Amino acid sequence: LPPRAGKPYQTRVPAVDEDGNEIAGVFMPDAAVPLGTHVGWNQRAPKFGAAGMLGRWVGASWPFPVTPEQRQRDNDPRRSVLERYATKEEYVAKVKTAAEQLLRERFLLEEDVERVVKKAGELSLWDASRK
């Protein structure tokens, strides 16, 4: 003591796809059939102190624009919800397929598949795209 500064270490971050979502790992249905960009980190808000530092155990999500018009207006490079999934039924079917694959791989239980598909059918973000 006191501690001595050692050799700097490299910070490593996962590779991401065109939406900013990680490309490695087990993809739960909300990551396999995304409605937004999801990250496992989040910066602290200034009102909590240590502004800009990483919060512990807190991730963040940014929803995709709902319509192509919203994407263009906001200059968002990510495809909109409606450009990804033509109908809510198509979206729910893709979620079901992803959940069933996870069931076969033993990452979900059978009763989880039903819950995941039900939740996907109730998402207000999708319904907002039809208003």
Side-chain angles (χ1 to χ4, degrees), residues 4-10:
R4 288 176 281 171
K7 201 166 82 172
Y9 65 92
Q10 292 182 335

Side-chain angles (χ1 to χ4, degrees), residues 4 9 12 24-25 34 46 50 59 62 71 94 96 98 100 102 115 120:
R4 288 176 281 171
Y9 65 92
R12 298 183 184 261
W62 295 272
R71 179 178 61 80
K94 287 184 177 194
K96 183 177 182 183
E100 289 171 340
L102 289 167
R115 287 187 199 117

Side-chain angles (χ1 to χ4, degrees), residues 35-85:
L35 290 173
T37 300
H38 310 287
V39 296
W41 52 270
N42 204 339
Q43 292 183 332
R44 292 175 58 96
K47 70 180 182 178
F48 298 114
M53 300 297 290
L54 293 180
R56 293 176 68 180
W57 307 301
V58 179
S61 294
W62 295 272
F64 294 139
V66 177
T67 65
E69 296 78 21
Q70 181 184 2
R71 179 178 61 80
Q72 290 174 341
R73 183 191 70 226
D74 296 345
N75 198 27
D76 193 326
R78 303 169 304 159
R79 290 182 298 147
S80 70
V81 172
L82 292 178
E83 290 170 307
R84 293 163 190 276
Y85 318 110

